[in-house]
């Protein structure tokens, strides 16, 4: 059904939306190869429309990072999340909830990849951004503190 809809769509923004939905469907059904192909196509179209520095490009880079993370390709996932972070910082500034979220994703990939020191560094940085963006009583701050405590318990 999505492929028929995609063929009928003329505007790139409509195609992107449909492709993102297809990619998410592949991701949720653990068809990571197709998810990766779909998100890569989304990224190509987005870069053609917006260049490299848009929030949408950052989101797609993160989607690719999540796919690679699920495939346990931690170093590759890390590279995509780092690219996403750079784009997000250029688009939204240093102190933004999305920046903190990507930092937290980087920390999680580092943790699962066995880079505990790097994970701690990114969790702490994420915590600073979250506190500046949301205040000290926000649920994201609590979640990040929990991750930090997990690393401390392992050490």
């Amino acid at each position: 059904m999505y492929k028929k809809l995609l063929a009928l769509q003329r505007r790139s923004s409509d195609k992107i939306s449909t492709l993102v939905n297809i990619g998410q469907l592949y991701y949720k059904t653990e068809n990571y190869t197709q998810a990766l192909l779909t998100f890569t196509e989304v990224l190509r179209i987005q870069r053609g429309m917006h260049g490299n520095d848009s929030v949408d490009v950052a989101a797609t880079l993160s989607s690719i990072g999540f796919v690679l993370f699920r495939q346990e390709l931690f170093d590759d996932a890390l590279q995509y999340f780092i690219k996403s972070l750079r784009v997000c910082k250029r688009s939204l500034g240093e102190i933004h909830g999305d920046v903190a979220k990507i930092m937290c994703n980087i920390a999680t990939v580092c943790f699962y990849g066995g880079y505990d020191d790097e994970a701690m560094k990114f969790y702490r940085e994420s915590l600073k951004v979250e506190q500046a963006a949301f205040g000290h009583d926000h649920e994201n701050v609590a979640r990040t503190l929990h991750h930090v405590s997990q690393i401390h318990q392992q050490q």
Side-chain angles (χ1 to χ4, degrees):
M1 183 165 97
Y2 274 123
K3 292 187 186 220
K4 287 181 183 179
L5 177 62
L6 200 56
L8 295 173
Q9 292 173 331
R10 304 227 189 288
R11 294 188 341 223
S12 292
S13 60
D14 292 339
K15 284 185 180 182
I16 289 171
S17 178
T18 300
L19 283 169
V20 166
N21 289 338
I22 292 169
Q24 289 172 345
L25 180 63
Y26 284 136
Y27 178 81
K28 289 177 182 175
T29 59
E30 300 180 8
N31 188 341
Y32 300 128
T33 301
Q34 287 301 314
L36 191 58
L37 289 171
T38 304
F39 288 133
T40 301
E41 176 66 9
V42 170
L43 186 60
R44 185 191 65 75
I45 295 168
Q46 287 172 328
R47 284 181 167 159
M49 289 176 60
H50 308 296
N52 288 323
D53 287 339
S54 80
V55 185
D56 293 334
V57 167
T60 302
L61 289 166
S62 284
S63 293
I64 292 170
F66 281 118
V67 172
L68 295 168
F69 175 76
R70 289 293 187 167
Q71 293 177 307
E72 297 184 5
L73 300 170
F74 300 123
D75 291 337
D76 293 337
L78 192 57
Q79 294 308 310
Y80 275 91
F81 282 119
I82 289 170
K83 289 177 188 177
S84 177
L85 179 62
R86 286 187 195 127
V87 172
C88 200
K89 281 182 173 182
R90 284 193 301 263
S91 299
L92 301 173
E94 297 282 326
I95 306 299
H96 192 279
D98 289 347
V99 169
K101 186 187 320 181
I102 296 167
M103 286 178 173
C104 209
N105 292 338
I106 290 170
T108 300
V109 172
C110 288
F111 178 73
Y112 279 92
Y115 308 113
D116 289 355
D117 291 339
E118 284 296 303
M120 185 63 80
K121 178 183 125 187
F122 277 101
Y123 279 134
R124 286 187 176 139
E125 191 63 30
S126 174
L127 189 60
K128 288 178 191 174
V129 174
E130 287 169 345
Q131 289 171 333
F134 304 126
H136 293 276
D137 295 330
H138 194 270
E139 66 184 79
N140 290 9
V141 172
R143 187 177 309 116
T144 301
L145 285 169
H146 174 73
H147 292 307
V148 168
S149 72
Q150 285 180 313
I151 292 174
H152 280 301
Q153 285 176 346
Q154 277 196 340
Q155 294 175 340

